[in-house]
Amino acid sequence: MSNNARFAEIAALAGDPGRASMLNGLMDGRALTASELARLAGITAQTASSHLTRMIDAGLLQVEKQGRHRYHRLASPAVAQMIESIMRLAAPMADSKPVRTGPRDAALRAGRTCYDHLAGHLGVSIADALIGAGHLDLGVDAGEMTPSGIRLFERAGISIEAITAKSNRILCRPCLDWSERRPHLAGAIGAALCSHCFDQGWIRRVEGTRAVSVTPNGQRQLRETLGVNLS
């Protein structure tokens, strides 16, 4: 396909009102399901599926599988830049409809365990803080603690060397968060951090649920130790 034909294809895909609503709705960095995107665009599930297939094939979107769910997100920063440029040209544009994602329970949305690691706003905030400070590199499929991150965890009482020696699982990987729709930290390091937070009394379980609450001391320790601000 020539560059001109490719240009025309992408422009036509972005120019459809339904597809434009979907792309616009993904600009906050979250990943959404087909049904959520269908509601956002005000179209049927069948029509949404057709739109999504075309945008995936064209490289505008990518799909991530989390359990039995399939989540769609923008394929690259370049796609986001293209949409943002169109949005600036089209301004003023009506605000997109908000999409509720994840559990309705506020406690589960605030913080919970995802198997053996931390999720929800708590888990994503930890990942964001580590990435922002240069302690963690987290890609789409894999992650890596930087030397400064390894030192940070050692000072906090979490030995990366010990984790590596006793575990044959993936050391560090992203896990797409159910409610935040952005990655939190999983893998052996994510599990070790979760256990450490429980052991130190930084978090405690909410009885009868996967939700966790952060203790006052945990708020302070997470802020001072890992640079996490949960406010």
Side-chain angles (χ1 to χ4, degrees):
M1 182 182 293
S2 69
N3 287 341
N4 285 340
R6 172 78 171 153
F7 178 93
E9 179 194 21
I10 292 175
L13 286 170
D16 176 87
R19 291 191 288 267
S21 294
M22 291 178 169
L23 293 169
N24 190 20
L26 293 170
M27 280 293 287
D28 63 1
R30 293 185 302 170
L32 299 175
T33 64
S35 59
E36 289 166 343
L37 288 166
R39 288 197 300 272
L40 184 65
I43 57 180
T44 66
Q46 183 177 5
T47 300
S49 179
S50 175
H51 284 333
L52 290 170
T53 297
R54 292 183 63 186
M55 289 192 286
I56 292 167
D57 291 343
L60 295 178
L61 301 181
Q62 65 181 21
V63 180
E64 297 179 37
K65 295 181 180 179
Q66 190 73 27
R68 58 187 177 86
H69 299 290
R70 290 165 58 89
Y71 298 104
H72 301 79
R73 67 166 64 251
L74 299 181
S76 69
V79 176
Q81 291 166 11
M82 177 193 74
I83 297 168
E84 186 176 8
S85 296
I86 296 173
M87 290 169 67
R88 283 198 299 266
L89 289 172
M93 177 182 287
D95 292 337
S96 60
K97 302 174 186 176
V99 178
R100 171 181 286 278
T101 57
R104 293 181 179 274
D105 189 328
L108 284 171
R109 296 173 69 87
R112 62 185 181 275
T113 53
C114 177
Y115 185 47
D116 60 358
H117 53 272
L118 294 172
H121 178 67
L122 170 62
V124 170
S125 295
I126 291 172
D128 285 348
L130 294 174
I131 292 169
H135 300 314
L136 173 68
D137 290 327
L138 210 56
V140 174
D141 299 313
E144 181 180 15
M145 295 296 297
T146 66
S148 69
I150 293 173
R151 292 192 296 270
L152 178 73
F153 271 48
E154 293 284 351
R155 291 195 297 271
I158 304 173
S159 172
I160 304 300
E161 183 178 355
I163 295 171
T164 304
K166 69 180 182 181
S167 176
N168 58 4
R169 66 189 290 191
I170 294 175
L171 192 64
C172 177
R173 69 172 181 84
C175 182
L176 183 63
D177 196 89
W178 177 26
S179 52
E180 297 289 314
R181 300 300 167 86
R182 293 187 295 116
H184 54 246
L185 178 60
I189 291 177
L193 176 60
C194 181
S195 294
H196 186 77
C197 289
F198 278 121
D199 293 343
Q200 297 299 311
W202 296 357
I203 60 174
R204 55 178 170 239
R205 297 188 185 277
V206 177
E207 187 176 355
T209 176
R210 286 196 295 125
V212 300
S213 63
V214 183
T215 65
N217 180 53
Q219 292 263 5
R220 180 173 62 85
Q221 291 295 337
L222 286 169
R223 182 177 62 253
E224 295 178 357
T225 306
L226 301 180
V228 179
N229 189 350
L230 295 174
S231 61

